[in-house]
Amino acid sequence: MIQITIPEDYKIARPREVKSKKEFDRAGVYVFFDESNTPLYVGKTVSFKRRFVEHSRCSEFYFLASYVRLYEVDNDYERDIYETEMIRQFDPLYNKAKMYH
């Protein structure tokens, strides 16, 4: 069996703060959480900042989110692996793709 360890380093921010901070314009994997620490959604992107703007316009979970974890991952292949593993581990409420039960 393959063992995947999720990175320990991540940034935490309120979703509305991400739009205004240049440090979040990086590639990686992100996890939205509500105020009771329930995972809402896991995604990957080449730009956290751009993707958050998209979520703010069209994702129902965005306004339920209290905070988001941002894991910087430059390699596209690694982002895909981490996203899949985080969806498996966190079992977020709003992910539909890559859900295995």
Side-chain angles (χ1 to χ4, degrees):
M1 176 184 263
I2 297 172
Q3 294 287 336
I4 299 169
T5 304
I6 293 175
E8 293 181 16
D9 292 336
Y10 55 85
K11 295 175 185 173
I12 294 180
R14 297 199 177 281
R16 292 119 193 120
E17 296 171 343
V18 173
K19 293 182 207 176
S20 63
K21 295 187 178 183
K22 193 171 185 163
E23 67 188 89
F24 293 110
D25 198 17
R26 296 200 172 94
V29 180
Y30 55 91
V31 185
F32 282 94
F33 292 88
D34 69 12
E35 61 186 34
S36 54
N37 299 317
T38 302
L40 299 172
Y41 184 82
V42 173
K44 66 177 182 167
T45 184
V46 294
S47 169
F48 289 135
K49 201 171 182 177
R50 261 188 311 217
R51 187 66 178 119
F52 285 132
V53 169
E54 291 172 19
H55 282 305
S56 72
R57 292 182 183 144
C58 63
S59 300
E60 61 185 286
F61 60 82
Y62 180 85
F63 294 100
L64 302 173
S66 177
Y67 68 97
V68 64
R69 286 186 191 172
L70 310 168
Y71 299 83
E72 285 186 47
V73 182
D74 291 327
N75 182 287
D76 187 46
Y77 179 71
E78 290 177 13
R79 278 194 304 274
D80 194 48
I81 290 170
Y82 286 131
E83 179 196 36
T84 302
E85 180 61 15
M86 287 181 193
I87 289 170
R88 188 190 70 75
Q89 284 188 27
F90 290 121
D91 193 24
L93 298 175
Y94 288 88
N95 279 86
K96 293 181 177 99
K98 299 185 180 182
M99 295 296 288
Y100 306 101
H101 299 283

CSV table of all heavy atoms in Angstrom, one decimal, residues 36-56:
chain,number,residue,atom,x,y,z
A,36,SER,N,-17.2,25.1,13.1
A,36,SER,CA,-17.0,23.9,14.0
A,36,SER,C,-15.9,22.9,13.4
A,36,SER,O,-15.9,21.8,13.8
A,36,SER,CB,-18.3,23.2,14.2
A,36,SER,OG,-19.0,22.9,13.0
A,37,ASN,N,-15.1,23.4,12.6
A,37,ASN,CA,-13.9,22.6,12.0
A,37,ASN,C,-14.4,21.5,11.1
A,37,ASN,O,-13.6,20.5,10.9
A,37,ASN,CB,-13.0,22.2,13.1
A,37,ASN,CG,-12.4,23.3,13.9
A,37,ASN,OD1,-12.0,24.3,13.3
A,37,ASN,ND2,-12.4,23.2,15.2
A,38,THR,N,-15.5,21.5,10.6
A,38,THR,CA,-16.0,20.5,9.6
A,38,THR,C,-15.4,20.9,8.2
A,38,THR,O,-15.6,22.0,7.7
A,38,THR,CB,-17.5,20.5,9.5
A,38,THR,OG1,-18.0,20.2,10.8
A,38,THR,CG2,-18.0,19.5,8.5
A,39,PRO,N,-14.7,20.0,7.6
A,39,PRO,CA,-14.2,20.2,6.2
A,39,PRO,C,-15.4,20.4,5.2
A,39,PRO,O,-16.3,19.5,5.2
A,39,PRO,CB,-13.4,19.0,5.9
A,39,PRO,CG,-13.1,18.3,7.2
A,39,PRO,CD,-14.3,18.7,8.1
A,40,LEU,N,-15.3,21.4,4.5
A,40,LEU,CA,-16.4,21.7,3.5
A,40,LEU,C,-16.0,21.3,2.1
A,40,LEU,O,-16.8,20.8,1.4
A,40,LEU,CB,-16.8,23.2,3.5
A,40,LEU,CG,-17.3,23.7,4.9
A,40,LEU,CD1,-17.4,25.2,4.8
A,40,LEU,CD2,-18.6,23.1,5.2
A,41,TYR,N,-14.8,21.7,1.7
A,41,TYR,CA,-14.3,21.5,0.3
A,41,TYR,C,-12.8,21.4,0.3
A,41,TYR,O,-12.1,22.2,0.9
A,41,TYR,CB,-14.8,22.6,-0.5
A,41,TYR,CG,-14.6,22.4,-2.0
A,41,TYR,CD1,-15.4,21.6,-2.8
A,41,TYR,CD2,-13.5,23.1,-2.6
A,41,TYR,CE1,-15.1,21.5,-4.2
A,41,TYR,CE2,-13.2,22.9,-3.9
A,41,TYR,CZ,-14.0,22.1,-4.7
A,41,TYR,OH,-13.7,21.9,-6.0
A,42,VAL,N,-12.3,20.5,-0.6
A,42,VAL,CA,-10.9,20.4,-0.8
A,42,VAL,C,-10.7,20.7,-2.3
A,42,VAL,O,-11.4,20.1,-3.2
A,42,VAL,CB,-10.3,19.0,-0.5
A,42,VAL,CG1,-8.9,18.9,-1.0
A,42,VAL,CG2,-10.4,18.7,1.0
A,43,GLY,N,-9.7,21.5,-2.7
A,43,GLY,CA,-9.5,21.8,-4.1
A,43,GLY,C,-8.0,22.0,-4.3
A,43,GLY,O,-7.2,22.1,-3.4
A,44,LYS,N,-7.6,22.1,-5.6
A,44,LYS,CA,-6.3,22.4,-6.0
A,44,LYS,C,-6.3,23.5,-7.0
A,44,LYS,O,-7.3,23.7,-7.7
A,44,LYS,CB,-5.6,21.1,-6.6
A,44,LYS,CG,-6.2,20.7,-7.9
A,44,LYS,CD,-5.4,19.5,-8.4
A,44,LYS,CE,-6.1,19.1,-9.8
A,44,LYS,NZ,-5.3,18.2,-10.5
A,45,THR,N,-5.2,24.2,-7.1
A,45,THR,CA,-5.2,25.4,-8.0
A,45,THR,C,-3.8,25.8,-8.3
A,45,THR,O,-2.8,25.5,-7.6
A,45,THR,CB,-6.0,26.5,-7.4
A,45,THR,OG1,-6.0,27.6,-8.4
A,45,THR,CG2,-5.4,27.0,-6.1
A,46,VAL,N,-3.6,26.5,-9.4
A,46,VAL,CA,-2.3,27.1,-9.7
A,46,VAL,C,-2.2,28.5,-9.1
A,46,VAL,O,-1.1,29.1,-9.0
A,46,VAL,CB,-2.0,27.2,-11.2
A,46,VAL,CG1,-1.9,25.9,-11.8
A,46,VAL,CG2,-3.1,28.0,-11.9
A,47,SER,N,-3.4,29.1,-8.6
A,47,SER,CA,-3.4,30.4,-7.9
A,47,SER,C,-4.5,30.4,-6.9
A,47,SER,O,-5.7,30.4,-7.3
A,47,SER,CB,-3.6,31.5,-8.9
A,47,SER,OG,-3.9,32.7,-8.2
A,48,PHE,N,-4.1,30.3,-5.6
A,48,PHE,CA,-5.1,30.3,-4.5
A,48,PHE,C,-6.0,31.5,-4.7
A,48,PHE,O,-7.2,31.4,-4.7
A,48,PHE,CB,-4.5,30.5,-3.2
A,48,PHE,CG,-3.7,29.3,-2.7
A,48,PHE,CD1,-2.5,29.4,-2.1
A,48,PHE,CD2,-4.3,28.0,-2.7
A,48,PHE,CE1,-1.8,28.3,-1.6
A,48,PHE,CE2,-3.6,26.9,-2.3
A,48,PHE,CZ,-2.3,27.1,-1.7
A,49,LYS,N,-5.4,32.7,-4.9
A,49,LYS,CA,-6.1,33.9,-5.0
A,49,LYS,C,-7.2,33.9,-6.1
A,49,LYS,O,-8.4,34.3,-5.8
A,49,LYS,CB,-5.1,35.1,-5.2
A,49,LYS,CG,-5.6,36.4,-4.8
A,49,LYS,CD,-4.4,37.3,-4.9
A,49,LYS,CE,-4.8,38.7,-4.5
A,49,LYS,NZ,-3.6,39.6,-4.5
A,50,ARG,N,-6.8,33.5,-7.3
A,50,ARG,CA,-7.8,33.5,-8.4
A,50,ARG,C,-8.9,32.5,-8.1
A,50,ARG,O,-10.1,32.8,-8.4
A,50,ARG,CB,-7.1,33.1,-9.7
A,50,ARG,CG,-6.8,34.3,-10.5
A,50,ARG,CD,-6.3,33.8,-11.9
A,50,ARG,NE,-5.2,32.8,-11.6
A,50,ARG,CZ,-4.1,32.6,-12.3
A,50,ARG,NH1,-3.9,33.4,-13.3
A,50,ARG,NH2,-3.2,31.7,-12.0
A,51,ARG,N,-8.6,31.3,-7.6
A,51,ARG,CA,-9.6,30.3,-7.4
A,51,ARG,C,-10.6,30.7,-6.3
A,51,ARG,O,-11.8,30.5,-6.4
A,51,ARG,CB,-8.9,29.0,-7.0
A,51,ARG,CG,-9.9,27.8,-6.9
A,51,ARG,CD,-10.5,27.5,-8.2
A,51,ARG,NE,-11.4,26.4,-8.1
A,51,ARG,CZ,-12.7,26.4,-8.4
A,51,ARG,NH1,-13.2,27.5,-8.9
A,51,ARG,NH2,-13.4,25.3,-8.2
A,52,PHE,N,-10.1,31.4,-5.3
A,52,PHE,CA,-11.0,31.9,-4.2
A,52,PHE,C,-12.0,32.9,-4.7
A,52,PHE,O,-13.1,33.0,-4.3
A,52,PHE,CB,-10.2,32.5,-3.0
A,52,PHE,CG,-9.5,31.5,-2.2
A,52,PHE,CD1,-8.2,31.5,-1.8
A,52,PHE,CD2,-10.3,30.4,-1.7
A,52,PHE,CE1,-7.6,30.6,-1.0
A,52,PHE,CE2,-9.7,29.4,-0.9
A,52,PHE,CZ,-8.4,29.5,-0.6
A,53,VAL,N,-11.5,33.8,-5.7
A,53,VAL,CA,-12.4,34.7,-6.3
A,53,VAL,C,-13.5,34.0,-7.0
A,53,VAL,O,-14.7,34.3,-6.9
A,53,VAL,CB,-11.7,35.7,-7.2
A,53,VAL,CG1,-12.7,36.5,-8.0
A,53,VAL,CG2,-10.7,36.6,-6.4
A,54,GLU,N,-13.2,32.9,-7.7
A,54,GLU,CA,-14.2,32.1,-8.4
A,54,GLU,C,-15.2,31.5,-7.4
A,54,GLU,O,-16.4,31.5,-7.6
A,54,GLU,CB,-13.5,31.0,-9.2
A,54,GLU,CG,-12.8,31.5,-10.4
A,54,GLU,CD,-12.0,30.4,-11.1
A,54,GLU,OE1,-12.3,29.2,-10.9
A,54,GLU,OE2,-11.1,30.8,-11.9
A,55,HIS,N,-14.6,30.9,-6.3
A,55,HIS,CA,-15.5,30.4,-5.3
A,55,HIS,C,-16.4,31.4,-4.7
A,55,HIS,O,-17.6,31.1,-4.4
A,55,HIS,CB,-14.7,29.7,-4.1
A,55,HIS,CG,-14.1,28.4,-4.5
A,55,HIS,ND1,-14.9,27.3,-4.9
A,55,HIS,CD2,-12.9,27.9,-4.5
A,55,HIS,CE1,-14.1,26.3,-5.2
A,55,HIS,NE2,-12.9,26.6,-4.9
A,56,SER,N,-15.9,32.6,-4.4
A,56,SER,CA,-16.8,33.7,-3.8
A,56,SER,C,-17.9,34.0,-4.7
A,56,SER,O,-19.0,34.5,-4.2
A,56,SER,CB,-15.9,34.9,-3.5
A,56,SER,OG,-15.6,35.6,-4.7
